[in-house]
Amino acid sequence: MNSFAVFLRGINVGGINIKMGDLKAALASCPFTGVKTLLASGNVVLQSELDAAQVKETFEKCLRDTFGYDAWVVVLPAGRLAELVDVCPYPADDKTTHSYVTLASDTAMLDELFDAGAALGEPGNGGVEQVRLGPEATAWLAPAGGTLDSPFSKLSSKARYKVSTTTRNLRTLIKVRDAAAAL
């Protein structure tokens, strides 16, 4: 049995509202065990005999069939999520900045987003401090209280990236990592 972290894109914002209890009930018909939802922003840990690609396909189909929207998720093996959290050079708690990790199911789209972030300029001049954690993750900093207004946040929220990326703060990823490890 393999443990996975699943990150839903765009729920409980923009009119797509899914209660975590309803999500868990919908997933009961899938070949998953130990399903646990975390927070209301679409974080799930589970176990399955399927591989990550099959978990992604099954999970997205369940969301589309049950909730009737064009669903996209990023799936990471629990061990890989732990590695990404461990190599993130930014602090989980800081009074002046917030640490975020953008996760992707498509390396080419994350490459494009990373390059577009670099093109914004230097941090402090409209740019973003970012570092690539691996083929599926980029970590970046946003000023406390200004995340949604940051140029990189606006860039990463473009429709172009919604199919393959989602962003979580580092504190959330630590909670998801710990929940996946406890399965």
Side-chain angles (χ1 to χ4, degrees), residues 39-76:
L39 310 170
S41 57
N43 307 291
V44 177
V45 294
L46 56 82
Q47 291 184 313
S48 182
E49 293 290 338
L50 303 175
D51 66 22
Q54 293 167 320
V55 168
K56 176 178 172 51
E57 180 182 334
T58 303
F59 204 107
E60 288 175 345
K61 182 176 183 338
C62 178
L63 290 174
R64 290 175 183 141
D65 292 349
T66 305
F67 300 105
Y69 79 102
D70 206 9
W72 306 103
V73 301
V74 175
V75 176
L76 292 174

Side-chain angles (χ1 to χ4, degrees), residues 7-154:
F7 302 94
L8 286 70
R9 164 78 169 172
I11 67 159
N12 298 335
V13 294
I16 300 170
N17 296 308
I18 299 174
K19 293 179 182 170
M20 294 301 99
D22 294 343
L23 173 60
K24 192 171 179 180
L27 294 171
S29 66
C30 296
F32 307 142
T33 60
V35 175
K36 182 176 179 183
T37 62
L38 299 117
L39 310 170
S41 57
N43 307 291
V44 177
V45 294
L46 56 82
Q47 291 184 313
S48 182
E49 293 290 338
L50 303 175
D51 66 22
Q54 293 167 320
V55 168
K56 176 178 172 51
E57 180 182 334
T58 303
F59 204 107
E60 288 175 345
K61 182 176 183 338
C62 178
L63 290 174
R64 290 175 183 141
D65 292 349
T66 305
F67 300 105
Y69 79 102
D70 206 9
W72 306 103
V73 301
V74 175
V75 176
L76 292 174
R80 183 60 181 149
L81 174 61
E83 291 170 358
L84 294 171
V85 168
D86 289 346
V87 299
C88 184
Y90 302 131
D93 292 301
D94 184 279
K95 292 181 184 203
T96 61
T97 60
H98 293 271
S99 301
Y100 289 94
V101 177
T102 298
L103 303 167
S105 57
D106 181 340
T107 300
M109 289 306 283
L110 191 61
D111 291 342
E112 179 183 307
L113 182 58
F114 188 86
D115 291 345
L120 291 172
E122 294 296 318
N125 287 331
V128 62
E129 182 175 335
Q130 63 177 345
V131 63
R132 194 67 179 258
L133 302 178
E136 70 283 83
T138 296
W140 53 283
L141 292 176
T147 302
L148 295 178
D149 294 325
S150 75
F152 189 76
S153 180
K154 289 178 181 179

